[in-house]
Amino acid sequence: MLNRLGLIAALALGTATAALAQDATPKDGGKLVFTAPYGNSITSLDITATPHTQDEIVAKAINRSLYKWNPESGKPELDLAETVEKSADGKTYTYKLREATFHNGDKLDADDVIWSYNRLADPKKALPGAEQMLQIAGVAEFQAGKADHISGLKKIDDRTIEITFINLADPGWNLMSNYAPIYSKDYPEDQLASKPNGLGPFKLANYVAGSKVELEKFDGYYEKGKPHLDKLDIMLMGEASARDVAFRNAEIDTNVLGPVQYEAYSQDPALKDHILEVAEVYTRNIGFNPKVEAFKDKRVRQAINYAINKDLIVEKLLKNKAYPAVSWLPISSPAFDKDAKPYAYDPEKAKELLKEAGFETGLKFSVTATSNESWGLPIVEAIIPMLAKVGVTVTTDPVESSVLSDKILSDNFDAFIWSNSSGPDPLKYLNCFYSKTSQTACNYVKFNNADFDKLIEQAGNETDPAKQNDLLRQANNLLQDEAPIWFFNYNKAVMAYQPWVHGLKPNGAELAIQDYEDIWIDDSAPASRK
């Protein structure tokens, strides 16, 4: 197992393997066969209607947002805006939009931004992307039914928009989200799920449900000379064994690896030199629903953290393709407390806390889980005997990946196991435990703590980065103590790629989300790709 210093080094060096895919001069033409590995289907081609990374993999090719994430610099940067000016008080931003064209020929203008953000925040639609709108002034009033539009959005002219925010946090962290794309106000909303109309480098050519999404180069894309590829096929392949066979037969060009494949590929001389690795800012966890009476008691939640030997699970089941979690924020976060210590494996402490809370025996709950080998049913099955030793009975509630979020957002669970974003911006992702953040946004466990809220509010209005990080560090430590979740691990993402593929990036936010416009293939690719 990695110690803390080793983990920090691994996080810091996570981009080292990127050089393997970044050499030479880009060549235009050809087809990339990419993989969406988190299921055998997608929920919708309208990314605003789904919180699934599986769907985001497709949406990244089709849509664009006001900002975009730069995985190389580790910061958000302008995308659909050419310039931005910030007001003296640091809360109002004025954006000059770039000249861009939607796939159907509509031209981007300020009204599209206003329409898209009002639609996302509309409480009647209950869109998961509403989470990204929460920092805009007037959203709270709009969602409460006290206003018929978001007051913080103002059109200056066709290509200029003014946005006012409720705090001093960099808005790029929220508005870069692929779940907050800009759509055309004039395009039929009811067609977005089947015939998407975006601003991205590729447009939909064909969608074979349960199989693949075929995309083709959009000649009207605003970045000159891009994309390099003529075609992009995204195969929907949730079974690791099927991806393995397809990759080894050169039928697909990338393969996101699970623990077993990671171990095998790393030891295979023919494959080990074409592996991209990065420490992702995802925290795997089991969330506790406070509607279960026992979970209202912090001692019970802490006891579950003490009762599970997560180091053993990471080593034996995940083949060390993960880093044991300390708290919510990953160790790479600027707000992580380097002196913080994880919950130790201490069954006796767990028994003591359960006894104090009045749950020495008889505590039972189910965990809603998918079949994911890294954060699904295999993990729940591993913790069942551990919790049984301290008098806690756990059962499983198996669901398909497309159903997991539906059950969570509808509050239909005792507990769930999931992999959730926890960075790179600590304020944004700690906001998911802010009491005013809804369950449908990202406060899945309905966490409500006045001291935590106060720290988040203070951090949101702090202009000094060091002082803001100190406040967030306190909030993260408080969250760890309150234990609204079982802190499992931070993901180590691994992608194998064929030797003819270039331009992949070590995206720590989600390795499977790539800048497709920058990817290209060389002449060594098989004929089917040319």
Side-chain angles (χ1 to χ4, degrees):
M1 300 302 296
L2 288 174
N3 60 27
R4 184 171 289 120
L5 290 177
L7 174 51
I8 293 172
L11 291 166
L13 296 175
T15 61
T17 55
L20 293 173
Q22 298 292 328
D23 54 354
T25 301
K27 180 180 182 297
D28 291 340
K31 179 174 73 173
L32 178 76
V33 182
F34 202 71
T35 44
Y38 304 127
N40 293 320
S41 64
I42 59 175
T43 307
S44 175
L45 290 170
D46 173 10
I47 191 59
T48 66
T50 166
H52 301 300
T53 302
Q54 178 82 345
D55 304 346
E56 187 185 5
I57 293 170
V58 176
K60 186 65 166 66
I62 298 172
N63 303 313
R64 281 297 176 267
S65 302
L66 191 61
Y67 288 78
K68 66 180 178 182
W69 172 243
N70 186 329
E72 295 164 308
S73 67
K75 297 179 180 179
E77 59 185 35
L78 293 177
D79 193 5
L80 290 179
E82 294 178 337
T83 61
V84 61
E85 294 182 3
K86 185 165 61 171
S87 64
D89 69 357
K91 292 187 177 181
T92 299
Y93 289 66
T94 303
Y95 299 91
K96 177 66 72 174
L97 301 177
R98 67 166 65 246
E99 292 186 5
T101 304
F102 288 95
H103 295 164
N104 72 336
D106 289 347
K107 298 295 183 181
L108 171 69
D109 63 29
D111 288 322
D112 294 319
V113 179
I114 293 173
W115 180 84
S116 295
Y117 288 174
N118 273 279
R119 175 179 176 270
L120 271 174
D122 187 344
K124 295 177 182 177
K125 297 184 184 299
L127 297 172
E131 172 193 347
Q132 317 305 329
M133 303 291 101
L134 299 178
Q135 302 306 310
I136 299 178
V139 167
E141 293 78 5
F142 179 49
Q143 293 190 331
K146 297 178 181 179
D148 61 4
H149 67 284
I150 300 174
S151 62
L153 300 173
K154 181 181 179 181
K155 176 182 177 180
I156 304 301
D157 59 41
D158 284 347
R159 289 187 56 205
T160 310
I161 183 171
E162 181 182 278
I163 305 179
T164 300
F165 299 90
I166 61 174
N167 59 34
L168 300 175
D170 181 350
W173 296 108
N174 286 299
L175 301 184
M176 71 178 186
S177 171
N178 295 316
Y179 298 103
I182 304 304
Y183 285 160
S184 170
K185 64 186 181 302
D186 299 316
Y187 192 75
E189 189 176 353
D190 60 2
Q191 292 189 28
L192 291 171
S194 58
K195 299 178 181 178
N197 175 41
L199 292 158
F202 292 90
K203 60 183 181 179
L204 181 69
N206 186 38
Y207 170 39
V208 182
S211 177
K212 62 181 176 178
V213 181
E214 298 176 341
L215 302 131
E216 59 187 13
K217 178 178 182 177
F218 175 47
D219 291 327
Y221 184 56
Y222 52 79
E223 283 195 79
K224 301 301 180 184
K226 296 182 181 181
H228 301 296
L229 299 165
D230 288 334
K231 296 182 179 181
L232 170 65
D233 285 0
I234 300 179
M235 311 301 293
L236 311 177
M237 304 180 71
E239 287 82 21
S241 58
R243 293 197 308 274
D244 180 43
V245 171
F247 186 81
R248 291 175 182 273
N249 291 336
E251 296 168 2
I252 58 177
D253 294 325
T254 63
N255 183 15
V256 172
L257 306 182
V260 174
Q261 289 182 351
Y262 175 54
E263 185 176 52
Y265 280 46
S266 297
Q267 297 172 2
D268 190 326
L271 301 174
K272 66 181 180 67
D273 291 333
H274 292 95
I275 294 177
L276 187 64
E277 301 183 17
V278 67
E280 284 186 338
V281 284
Y282 273 75
T283 299
R284 275 73 180 273
N285 66 98
I286 287 181
F288 306 126
N289 194 331
K291 75 177 185 181
V292 176
E293 189 64 29
F295 292 155
K296 295 177 181 178
D297 194 313
K298 177 173 72 173
R299 293 169 295 186
V300 172
R301 305 190 301 263
Q302 290 177 330
I304 293 172
N305 273 275
Y306 281 118
I308 301 172
N309 189 344
K310 63 187 172 190
D311 288 0
L312 181 65
I313 295 173
V314 167
E315 179 182 358
K316 298 299 184 181
L317 284 185
L318 302 188
K319 311 297 183 183
N320 288 327
K321 201 190 83 65
Y323 309 104
V326 178
S327 55
W328 181 249
L329 295 179
I331 289 180
S332 58
S333 172
F336 179 82
D337 187 346
K338 300 287 191 295
D339 295 323
K341 303 203 180 298
Y343 280 91
Y345 173 52
D346 191 341
E348 293 307 312
K349 178 69 172 178
K351 291 179 183 178
E352 177 186 328
L353 287 168
L354 288 168
K355 184 176 181 180
E356 288 178 10
F359 292 95
E360 186 174 5
T361 59
L363 174 56
K364 299 179 180 179
F365 64 91
S366 66
V367 179
T368 301
T370 70
S371 60
N372 189 287
E373 62 181 319
S374 298
W375 48 265
L377 288 170
I379 307 303
V380 180
E381 290 166 354
I383 70 172
I384 286 175
M386 296 179 185
L387 289 172
K389 289 181 179 179
V390 300
V392 176
T393 301
V394 175
T395 57
T396 60
D397 173 25
V399 297
E400 294 295 324
S401 58
S402 60
V403 176
L404 177 62
S405 64
D406 293 337
K407 294 202 69 169
I408 294 170
L409 297 181
S410 62
D411 204 26
N412 184 21
F413 67 94
D414 291 343
F416 64 80
I417 187 166
W418 210 1
S419 179
N420 301 110
S421 296
S422 53
D425 175 36
L427 176 59
K428 173 182 176 180
Y429 289 101
L430 284 175
N431 252 298
C432 285
F433 294 92
Y434 184 57
S435 65
K436 293 182 181 178
T437 300
S438 69
Q439 188 174 41
T440 55
C442 60
N443 191 357
Y444 306 124
V445 294
K446 296 175 286 188
F447 186 65
N448 188 340
N449 182 283
D451 292 334
F452 181 87
D453 285 356
K454 184 177 179 180
L455 288 167
I456 293 298
E457 289 164 1
Q458 290 175 334
N461 289 292
E462 179 54 65
T463 57
D464 184 315
K467 292 180 179 178
Q468 184 188 68
N469 282 331
D470 183 60
L471 290 165
L472 294 173
R473 190 175 299 112
Q474 294 177 53
N476 190 50
N477 288 346
L478 187 154
L479 190 68
Q480 182 189 18
D481 181 64
E482 287 291 325
I485 64 172
W486 169 54
F487 302 98
F488 179 26
N489 71 58
Y490 312 123
N491 183 39
K492 177 181 181 181
V494 183
M495 178 185 288
Y497 59 94
Q498 302 290 4
W500 51 80
V501 177
H502 303 262
L504 295 170
K505 298 174 183 177
N507 184 5
E510 167 56 65
L511 186 57
I513 305 296
Q514 288 290 324
D515 292 327
Y516 301 111
E517 67 271 21
D518 294 327
I519 299 176
W520 58 282
I521 58 176
D522 65 34
D523 291 333
S524 68
S528 62
R529 308 292 196 277
K530 296 179 181 179

